[in-house]
């Protein structure tokens, strides 16, 4: 393909999809595809979809309705539009999407994005293609070397997928079915990608995986490395000053990973560790394989190793059979843990998952009411956490220009957004600040001693200066 073509990728759902969308762009780049700013200006639109809750899947079909209109408008002007559906809805529904939405030219699951060039050739010949196999190969190896070198940072922070899929089979969750069983990437590939990111100016990397702390990638020594050991190796990479990872399961929080939090200043003191419910009865029905006390004791151990550790979580309200008493236990655990932030969702019955077939489904009105109460409790916890930072001195990675001229914005170690007056030369630096005010979703701070001039200049390729 010699002429320039434009692709617009619309991403739904988790950070893993954000990462996958970037890799799709990288895969298409050597074929002359560039990114379009909108679907209207594109020759190819890919919806990278999420299947986790019903609402997320429904969005895809309404967007496909819009694509049908766009495609016929373009056809009237003699222009062509190809439409692809990728990600977890594609994986779960496959041919059903092609049947329900004739506008779709190709459907491909999360394990197939490296086949995109081939899929495009096939659709170019007029075929509609559906590819939702789980290949045994590592899709990450299939980026052409030239492309991989170009897999550069788009800023100072980047995602890096280290693990995919999940074997936990929580009874509400589609992930084991859409992303497949747990697989970890080999350590040398991850370290190579991390080095490339650091060379391109990235200072903070977030390791991604549906069950990231279950990571067990093959190490250079032939043994399986856990996430703690991987973090220790990543911490050796010059320039990579901050390491985060998400999402973790309480059962996989190993002693070594906890010790890594004690030993590595690069490992940020913020942990997304979903508990889903505070009730032992519901946790058992969810097949979480731990109880409320196990979770609280685990947090005690983590905080013993890293006293300033902030916690975040996910909660589901209205799981089948949840009583008011069970829900009260969830409210109590929110209070006991003192979350820095948390996501909460109404239970959504997903086809094919065990809980969807339970008889005692909870009425929508009850779910709405419990969600509102839980969100109020979480908001209060977040406010308390943010207020506890008032007057505190902390390091902030300055990531981008702030809202007002003369301001820069960045993140605290605890992932809070921080705004401060600072000269633009400090973009890309980690600077000490003092928190002066706390708003609902961000902190305002003042720069402390400007960083010493002896600190080597940091390259900030890919950052708008
Ligand atoms: N209904 C509601 N929330 C769900 N989650 C996963 N599956 C469901 C479901 N069927 C939530 C969990 C998970 C987060 C990513 O999405 O809280 O941690
Ligand atoms: Fe889904 Fe997470 Fe449970 Fe795996 S551990 S089944 S991804 S909720």
């Amino acid at each position: 393909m010699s002429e320039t073509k434009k692709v617009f990728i619309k991403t739904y759902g988790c950070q893993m999809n954000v990462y996958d969308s970037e890799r799709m762009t990288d895969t298409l780049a050597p074929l002359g595809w560039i990114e379009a700013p909108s679907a209207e200006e594109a020759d190819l639109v890919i919806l990278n979809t999420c299947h986790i809750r019903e609402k997320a899947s429904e969005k895809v079909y309404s967007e496909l309705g819009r694509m049908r209109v766009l495609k016929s408008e373009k056809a009237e002007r003699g222009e062509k539009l190809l439409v692809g559906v990728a990600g977890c809805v594609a994986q779960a529904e496959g041919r059903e999407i092609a049947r329900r939405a004739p506008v779709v030219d190709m459907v491909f699951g999360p394990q197939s994005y490296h086949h995109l060039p081939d899929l495009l050739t096939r659709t170019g010949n007029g075929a509609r293609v559906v590819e939702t196999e789980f290949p045994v190969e590592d899709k990450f190896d299939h980026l052409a070397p030239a492309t991989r070198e170009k897999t550069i940072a788009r800023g100072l922070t980047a995602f890096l997928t280290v693990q995919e899929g999940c074997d936990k089979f929580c009874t509400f969750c589609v992930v084991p079915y859409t992303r497949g069983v747990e697989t970890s990437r080999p350590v040398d590939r991850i370290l190579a990608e991390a080095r490339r990111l650091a060379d391109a100016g990235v200072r903070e990397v977030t390791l991604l995986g549906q069950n990231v702390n279950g990571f067990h990638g093959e190490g250079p020594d032939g043994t399986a490395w856990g996430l703690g050991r991987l973090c220790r190796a990543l911490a050796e990479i010059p320039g990579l000053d901050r390491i985060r990872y998400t999402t973790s399961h309480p059962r996989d929080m190993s002693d070594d990973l906890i010790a890594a939090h004690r030993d590595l200043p690069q490992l940020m003191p913020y942990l997304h560790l979903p508990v889903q419910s505070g009730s032992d009865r519901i946790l058992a029905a969810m097949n979480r394989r731990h109880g409320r006390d196990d979770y609280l004791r685990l947090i005690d151990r983590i905080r013993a190793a890293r006293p300033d550790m902030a916690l975040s979580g996910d909660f589901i309200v209205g799981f089948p059979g949840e009583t008011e008493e069970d829900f009260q236990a969830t409210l109590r655990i929110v209070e006991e843990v003192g979350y820095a932030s948390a996501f909460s969702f109404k239970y959504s019955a997903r086809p094919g998952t065990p809980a969807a077939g339970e008889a005692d489904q909870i009425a929508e009105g009850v779910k709405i009411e419990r969600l509102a109460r839980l969100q109020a409790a979480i908001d209060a916890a977040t406010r308390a956490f943010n207020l506890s930072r008032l007057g505190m001195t902390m390091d902030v990675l300055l990531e981008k220009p702030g809202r007002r001229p003369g301001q820069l914005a960045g993140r605290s170690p605890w992932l809070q957004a921080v705004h401060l007056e600072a000269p633009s030369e400090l973009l890309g630096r980690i600077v000490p600040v003092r928190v002066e005010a706390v708003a609902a979703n961000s902190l305002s701070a003042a720069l402390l001693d400007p960083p010493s001039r002896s600190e080597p200049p940091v390259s900030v390729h890919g950052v708008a200066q």
Side-chain angles (χ1 to χ4, degrees):
M1 204 173 298
S2 54
E3 78 222 272
T4 303
K5 296 259 184 183
K6 289 188 181 164
V7 55
F8 179 72
I9 304 182
K10 184 158 181 173
T11 308
Y12 300 84
C14 65
Q15 290 116 327
M16 183 82 81
N17 272 7
V18 174
Y19 178 89
D20 282 355
S21 293
E22 288 177 359
R23 297 296 83 79
M24 285 186 223
T25 312
D26 293 338
T27 306
L28 290 171
L31 305 178
W33 288 86
I34 59 168
E35 286 180 75
S38 67
E40 283 69 22
E41 290 167 64
D43 305 291
L44 165 65
V45 173
I46 298 173
L47 308 182
N48 193 8
T49 61
C50 172
H51 196 57
I52 197 94
R53 286 169 292 277
E54 195 179 355
K55 242 193 192 159
S57 314
E58 274 169 5
K59 280 190 199 151
V60 177
Y61 286 101
S62 60
E63 189 63 15
L64 285 174
R66 236 170 57 79
M67 289 306 119
R68 186 167 48 83
V69 176
L70 188 62
K71 194 169 190 162
S72 57
E73 282 171 4
K74 282 191 176 250
E76 277 168 27
R77 296 199 296 269
E79 295 168 15
K80 211 172 159 201
L81 176 68
L82 284 175
V83 177
V85 179
C88 293
V89 177
Q91 185 63 45
E93 297 186 8
R95 291 192 185 285
E96 177 65 12
I97 301 179
R99 198 187 60 75
R100 263 182 74 179
V103 65
V104 174
D105 300 287
M106 49 186 185
V107 180
F108 52 104
Q111 304 307 326
S112 311
Y113 67 71
H114 56 289
H115 293 165
L116 246 180
D118 173 48
L119 299 179
L120 277 170
T121 312
R122 284 153 64 194
T123 51
N125 297 332
R128 296 178 79 206
V129 290
V130 176
E131 192 178 282
T132 51
E133 296 299 305
F134 276 115
V136 281
E137 26 167 17
D138 179 351
K139 66 178 176 180
F140 301 100
D141 292 346
H142 286 263
L143 290 176
T147 317
R148 276 194 256 150
E149 291 319 316
K150 268 200 276 174
T151 305
I152 54 158
R154 290 164 167 82
L156 292 153
T157 61
F159 294 129
L160 202 176
T161 295
V162 300
Q163 178 281 333
E164 222 178 331
C166 182
D167 296 341
K168 291 281 189 286
F169 289 94
C170 299
T171 55
F172 52 82
C173 184
V174 286
V175 166
Y177 311 96
T178 53
R179 290 277 175 169
V181 295
E182 207 277 321
T183 51
S184 296
R185 291 176 71 193
V187 168
D188 55 357
R189 312 261 162 75
I190 296 168
L191 294 179
E193 188 168 335
R195 280 190 207 101
R196 279 196 299 277
L197 291 170
D199 287 347
V202 166
R203 300 204 69 181
E204 174 179 306
V205 72
T206 302
L207 311 178
L208 296 182
Q210 265 90 24
N211 195 2
V212 73
N213 60 343
F215 175 82
H216 58 266
E218 189 187 340
D221 54 0
T223 68
W225 285 29
L227 191 66
R229 194 157 175 204
L230 178 67
C231 288
R232 286 176 203 274
L234 287 165
E236 306 262 308
I237 298 177
L240 221 50
D241 294 314
R242 288 181 158 196
I243 302 168
R244 303 180 187 275
Y245 58 90
T246 195
T247 287
S248 296
H249 191 288
R251 281 283 295 246
D252 290 330
M253 213 58 220
S254 70
D255 290 342
D256 185 49
L257 182 55
I258 295 175
H261 276 285
R262 179 195 62 209
D263 300 338
L264 302 176
Q266 291 91 338
L267 207 43
M268 289 291 102
Y270 180 95
L271 185 60
H272 186 64
L273 192 66
V275 66
Q276 313 293 356
S277 167
S279 152
D280 279 336
R281 218 175 57 81
I282 297 295
L283 287 171
M286 287 175 163
N287 189 33
R288 292 290 292 177
R289 295 186 253 180
H290 64 80
R292 155 196 190 92
D293 284 348
D294 303 319
Y295 182 77
L296 291 171
R297 276 203 310 271
L298 172 61
I299 290 180
D300 288 343
R301 279 170 49 222
I302 296 168
R303 284 184 169 152
R306 180 84 208 221
D308 65 343
M309 182 68 85
L311 270 299
S312 119
D314 292 340
F315 291 93
I316 295 177
V317 299
F319 184 81
E322 186 188 66
T323 61
E324 173 61 26
E325 204 181 314
D326 294 318
F327 176 66
Q328 292 282 345
T330 297
L331 290 177
R332 275 200 306 279
I333 210 166
V334 168
E335 208 165 297
E336 277 173 61
V337 173
Y339 287 97
S341 73
F343 300 99
S344 48
F345 311 99
K346 287 182 292 178
Y347 169 71
S348 164
R350 307 308 290 128
T353 58
E358 293 292 328
D360 41 3
Q361 300 290 327
I362 304 296
E364 182 65 13
V366 175
K367 288 187 198 171
I368 291 172
E369 185 259 344
R370 287 183 187 163
L371 186 68
R373 283 153 70 200
L374 178 58
Q375 285 180 343
I378 292 169
D379 286 349
T382 302
R383 262 196 313 277
F385 180 79
N386 288 343
L387 265 178
S388 72
R389 310 290 111 160
L390 192 61
M392 197 183 260
T393 299
M394 62 176 68
D395 284 343
V396 170
L397 168 57
L398 296 173
E399 291 172 28
K400 55 183 183 193
R403 278 182 231 133
R404 285 195 286 273
Q407 277 197 337
L408 294 180
R411 296 263 170 195
S412 78
W414 305 282
L415 215 55
Q416 295 149 301
V418 183
H419 300 270
L420 61 146
E421 306 281 323
S424 58
E425 307 87 83
L426 290 186
L427 208 57
R429 294 282 194 96
I430 295 172
V431 295
V433 307
R434 185 169 28 249
V435 178
E436 302 205 309
V438 175
N441 293 313
S442 66
L443 310 178
S444 302
L447 199 56
L448 289 180
D449 310 320
S452 90
R453 297 214 171 271
S454 60
E455 186 179 340
V458 179
S459 76
V460 285
H461 305 289
V463 173
Q465 302 238 28

